[in-house]
Structures are given as C-alpha cells and as structure tokens.
Amino acid sequence: MTAVRVILVEDEPLVAMMMEDLLTDLGCEIAASFGALEAALAWLAAQDTPPDGALLDVNLGGGETVFPLAQRLREQGVPFVFATGYSTLPSGDYPDTPLLRKPVSHEALRPLVAAFKAAA
C-alpha cells in the first residue's frame, strides 16, 4: 500500500522533528513540512495533487494562525488535524476538526492517521 502523503505545519523546529517522526512511524510520507503559513500556502497552490492529510499547529510565530491554510485544505477536501498547547481553538469555524493537545502521542495520532488513510 502506498504511504499516506501528509503535510506538517509547525513553527517550532524540535516539535516539527518529533511530529515528523510520529507521522513516519505511523506509515505516513511527509510530503512537505513548513514553519510558516505563507510557505505552506504557496506549496499547496503549486501542487497538482493535494496531500492526503495535514497536521496543523494552530498558532504560528508572529501571532499568525494556520486557519487560512485550513480553509484551503477544506476547500480541496483534504482532511486535517489541529495541534495546539491550548484546550480549545481560538476560532469556532472548525467544530468537527480533531484537536490534538501537545505534546502529541502515537496513541492520539494513530486513529487520525487511519482516517487519512481511509479518505485517501
């Protein structure tokens, strides 16, 4: 079976490396990893085929949020998961989107990756 292609948006390099390892351990291929919103948006716009899923840090550096990318992914039918250190999202626009609390564990991420695989 082909690996699930996932993008990761996480602005903390050490956390991004840990998340990449978790995703890889769960059978994902990291299609791309970004620390900033604009780079992720540009990459997504340049793709002929969208990724199979995405793991998105809610709050990025400089007070930026990942919500513009989440909206683009939603428009393309790409499933995604939010990761945050907070208990709730600062936006009510995504009530059905899974929310992972950091630090993220294999156990928490496993069913979400399974959902990416099922949707691929």
Side-chain angles (χ1 to χ4, degrees), residues 36-119:
L37 177 63
E38 288 305 316
L41 287 168
W43 179 87
L44 186 62
Q47 300 306 300
D48 292 329
T49 305
D52 298 317
L55 180 56
L56 310 174
D57 179 14
V58 173
N59 293 305
L60 304 172
E64 237 177 2
T65 65
V66 77
F67 297 127
L69 178 62
Q71 181 59 37
R72 297 263 176 88
L73 291 168
R74 179 191 273 174
E75 291 166 1
Q76 293 183 6
V78 176
F80 56 89
V81 175
F82 290 121
T84 184
Y86 301 105
S87 59
T88 60
L89 286 178
S91 169
D93 294 339
Y94 301 92
D96 298 327
T97 301
L99 179 65
L100 293 175
R101 293 285 311 271
K102 291 181 184 178
V104 176
S105 68
H106 275 94
E107 294 75 30
L109 194 53
R110 184 173 286 114
L112 302 170
V113 168
F116 292 166
K117 288 179 182 179

